[in-house]
Amino acid sequence: MNRISDQKGMVVWLYGLSGAGKTTISLLLKQMLENDGFFAVCLDGDELRSGINKDLTFTEDDREENIRRAAEIARLMLQNNIITICSFITPLQKHRALAAGIIGESYTEVFIECPLDVCQARDVKGLYKKARTNQITHFTGISSGFEAPANPELIIHTAVESPAESMEKVYQHIAPLLKR
Ligand code: ADP
């Protein structure tokens, strides 16, 4: 398979706390898919928030709008047979339901699970420190809620395995869905 027009588009929606590993896994997954001849795009929350969504804050309404716009972009990619890997905290069940509803049947979601204390210890972007000292408000896990899914489609525990192992599990989950 080496023609993009031969591939079936899908949206892989990675959600979880900041620092859980969404971006890391999405980049590894994109690389793996490309090695296998697929065309994949990463849509990252941080990138959207620094560009197309920079008018949005972290209030509940704006978080919902952030997800709505991301899902609409992913839907447009899907219409062009692109595999889109989305990395968004997507803190509430209603946000996940919103994305699923906009995208439709080619939506697959993966809970990137990592305990809050491990995410804080990683503090990849220094944001937890800022949240603890009130330099940032509405920070998920500190001053804003995260609803763990009751019945996740797939859950990846990044505190106990390597990024490559985590990516491989996501890849195995989506591989059967990539066939036309
Ligand atoms: P997020 O996008 O969820 O905010 P990042 O991917 O930016 O998180 O950061 C996750 C950090 O955790 C990275 O430094 C990554 O190397 C590390 N990490 C350790 N184990 C894993 C794993 N199994 N999967 C993903 N990331 C991991």
Side-chain angles (χ1 to χ4, degrees), residues 17-25 44 122 124-125 157-158 161-163 166:
L17 293 173
S18 178
K22 302 178 296 295
T23 305
T24 302
I25 293 170
D44 194 89
R122 287 178 179 167
V124 189
K125 297 155 212 148
H157 300 286
T158 67
E161 60 193 20
S162 70
S166 293

Side-chain angles (χ1 to χ4, degrees), residues 34-105:
E34 286 176 355
N35 290 346
D36 283 355
F38 293 101
F39 181 68
V41 163
C42 293
L43 269 190
D44 194 89
D46 291 334
E47 279 178 15
L48 262 68
R49 278 193 173 276
S50 67
I52 194 169
N53 286 351
K54 72 176 169 195
D55 55 320
L56 301 178
T57 67
F58 289 86
T59 61
E60 201 172 314
D61 281 354
D62 276 6
R63 283 177 185 270
E64 189 167 321
E65 177 62 8
N66 182 46
I67 296 304
R68 189 192 68 76
R69 291 184 198 171
E72 290 288 358
I73 296 169
R75 189 174 65 85
L76 295 175
M77 303 273 190
L78 185 59
Q79 285 171 0
N80 291 280
N81 297 331
I82 295 170
I83 300 164
T84 307
I85 310 159
C86 298
S87 308
F88 294 85
I89 297 174
T90 336
L92 303 183
Q93 182 54 42
K94 72 172 182 180
H95 297 146
R96 273 104 66 180
L98 176 65
I102 290 169
I103 294 161
E105 64 172 20

Side-chain angles (χ1 to χ4, degrees), residues 98-168:
L98 176 65
I102 290 169
I103 294 161
E105 64 172 20
S106 300
Y107 169 90
T108 295
E109 63 178 35
V110 183
F111 179 28
I112 306 301
E113 189 280 332
C114 186
L116 181 62
D117 58 331
V118 177
C119 293
Q120 293 204 62
R122 287 178 179 167
D123 208 3
V124 189
K125 297 155 212 148
L127 297 177
Y128 282 100
K129 188 167 179 229
K130 286 189 177 162
R132 282 196 307 272
T133 52
N134 293 324
Q135 290 171 268
I136 331 181
T137 55
H138 300 290
F139 194 74
T140 308
I142 304 290
S143 42
S144 182
F146 181 86
E147 287 173 1
N151 195 11
E153 181 182 333
L154 176 65
I155 180 166
I156 302 293
H157 300 286
T158 67
V160 293
E161 60 193 20
S162 70
E165 287 169 327
S166 293
M167 178 277 288
E168 184 65 31

